[in-house]
Amino acid sequence: MNTKDIVYIALFAALTAALGIFPPINIPALGGVPITAQSMGLMLAGGILGAKRGALAMVLFLVLVGVGLPLLSGGRGGWGVLVGPSGGFLFGWVITAFVIGSLIEKYWLRLNFVLVAAICLFGGVFLLYAIGIPWLAFAAKIPVEKAFFGAIAFVPGDLVKVVLSTAIIVAVGRSYPLITR
């Protein structure tokens, strides 16, 4: 890893923190898991930086949150947030950024808007929910079914984030590709 990689990793951790400026929308029935713009950060990190650097950007972000920096939407931070109801979604950011980056790298030469959107939808929504919902059910002490159906409220916002992330990933990939094959 060179200095340039470290700068990109730090930049995308900072971008994810900046996305926390948008105020969260809390859903009390889900144990306090808010709807935020920050999950867009994992799609952008994986899609623009690739698997390794994208996942490391999310690891850096979570380490900073874990030590208490209030980088999550609503000014949240600290170990308690990471082990609370939204912890599964937060730790899922690392895995999903890696998966999105891996798929973008695999299909780099054939990328188009539809393929990038499908990759972001798979990694940034389906996979993230598959990781976060069971953790939410456990941490909030609610049935998995309730957590699953409560998560439906997140889908419209996530679809908007997929479209925005896709447009950004495609534009950056064409004009200044950070992933090379």
Side-chain angles (χ1 to χ4, degrees), residues 117-140:
I119 290 169
C120 287
L121 184 64
F122 170 73
V125 179
F126 295 126
L127 182 59
L128 186 60
Y129 283 30
I131 296 166
I133 289 173
W135 183 304
L136 167 63
F138 174 76

Side-chain angles (χ1 to χ4, degrees), residues 16-29:
T16 304
L19 288 168
I21 292 172
F22 297 101
I25 300 169
N26 287 308
I27 301 175

